[in-house]
Amino acid sequence: MTQTRARTVFLLAHTGRPAAIRSAELVVKGLLRSGIGVRALEAEARDLPLPDEVDLVKEATPQSLDGCELLIVLGGDGTLLRGAEFGRASGVPMLGVNLGRVGFLAEAERDDLDKVVDRVVSKAYEVEERMTVDVVVHRNGDIVHTDWALNEAAVQKVSAERMLEVVLEIDGRPVTGFGCDGIVCATPTGSTAYAFSAGGPVVWPEVEALLINTVQEFDHHWIVPIDDCFRMVATVRREWRGLSGGGRVWPAVQEFFAELTERS
């Protein structure tokens, strides 16, 4: 039977990994032993050895995080992006423990699980804000899609034999035009993801800037300082598709807008 506790942590895990199942068991036992409640998704609980004291919810909605102090995510970068999608609307901070191969987004490794539990129990952690981008897609002047991304927003060509024709504009000022296979607008957090594989630099998370990368034989890179009204517009003259850091695909249209959002 679920007990009412003064503090509650939400646990999100990649249940397809045996390491995640073992790690989840260790984290849950450590938190419950210290008097901290644990909440999890019903679908994941079927694959995890969770005790009866764990509070289960059916869906990953912002409301299911009500009353939670922290969202702990066990998995690789893909699982952490899922956690960011889940936690963003609620404003609950996320702590990632890497169980994957790379783990650029995680703050801790599997060998640190005991320390992670100790830090959570003693509240010996700091919340770090990360930049996100809002995305607005236009067709013939009409908004046809909106989205957001923690890592990056990318425009990719659809036809393999033809390049995209792009005109880049920042804060209402034309910057340049060029042909390319794609263009990536990455946050500092996302500079270690798609932008990095496209040859871009790693940007420290505290840097107030966005990274703009082209994807082509002769790559171009811009690191653009931002303020609260930053706006980047890429006008694309050939058929393309959009892709966010969470793997969501947008329709093939004519213009791509990426705008700075509040820190989250």
Side-chain angles (χ1 to χ4, degrees):
M1 185 174 178
T2 303
Q3 301 176 11
T4 301
R5 300 174 186 261
R7 300 172 62 193
T8 302
V9 168
F10 202 105
L11 181 70
L12 195 68
H14 188 322
T15 56
R17 295 178 182 270
I21 296 175
R22 294 191 296 269
S23 300
E25 185 177 14
L26 191 153
V27 169
V28 169
K29 286 183 177 180
L31 293 173
L32 292 176
R33 188 168 52 244
S34 300
I36 297 177
V38 177
R39 193 176 300 167
L41 294 173
E42 281 186 3
E44 294 185 354
R46 300 189 191 104
D47 300 316
L48 298 173
L50 300 179
D52 293 339
E53 297 99 308
V54 174
D55 183 21
L56 301 181
V57 295
K58 291 184 178 181
E59 297 180 355
T61 64
Q63 291 73 30
S64 62
L65 282 168
D66 286 351
C68 289
E69 171 185 324
L70 200 61
L71 170 63
I72 296 180
V73 181
L74 307 176
D77 282 351
T79 310
L80 265 73
L81 287 172
R82 182 164 66 98
E85 186 86 25
F86 176 29
R88 179 178 184 250
S90 67
V92 173
M94 180 178 72
L95 172 60
V97 179
N98 177 41
L99 304 178
R101 290 185 295 274
V102 181
F104 279 125
L105 299 178
E107 288 295 325
E109 299 293 326
R110 181 171 51 188
D111 294 340
D112 301 325
L113 279 175
D114 288 335
K115 293 180 181 178
V116 168
V117 173
D118 290 343
R119 289 290 190 94
V120 172
V121 170
S122 61
K123 289 190 175 182
Y125 59 84
E126 295 181 1
V127 177
E128 181 180 87
E129 295 183 338
R130 294 294 180 98
M131 185 187 303
T132 63
V133 290
D134 278 341
V135 178
V136 182
V137 181
H138 291 244
R139 177 189 287 125
N140 299 325
D142 297 325
I143 295 176
V144 296
H145 186 74
T146 60
D147 211 333
W148 75 280
L150 172 63
N151 269 358
E152 76 279 309
V155 174
Q156 302 172 338
K157 67 178 184 178
V158 172
S159 177
E161 69 276 5
R162 306 176 74 179
M163 299 184 76
L164 292 178
E165 296 178 19
V166 178
V167 176
L168 183 66
E169 172 188 318
I170 296 177
D171 281 345
R173 300 177 182 177
V175 175
T176 186
F178 47 83
C180 62
D181 291 339
I183 184 169
V184 182
C185 177
T187 65
T189 300
S191 68
T192 57
Y194 187 9
F196 184 65
S197 68
V202 174
V203 181
W204 216 249
E206 292 81 6
V207 175
E208 296 285 317
L210 286 179
L211 174 62
I212 303 170
N213 262 26
T214 58
V215 182
Q216 59 178 20
E217 183 178 356
F218 301 103
D219 294 332
H220 300 290
H221 314 286
W222 296 270
I223 298 178
V224 185
I226 54 89
D227 55 31
D228 290 339
C229 62
F230 177 86
R231 187 186 192 197
M232 188 202 88
V233 179
T235 303
V236 183
R237 295 201 179 107
R238 293 194 187 279
E239 187 181 13
W240 61 276
R241 66 171 183 168
L243 185 68
S244 76
R248 299 180 300 276
V249 178
W250 324 318
V253 292
Q254 292 179 331
E255 290 182 322
F256 159 79
F257 289 66
E259 302 179 27
L260 174 68
T261 70
E262 71 281 358
R263 311 302 188 270
S264 60

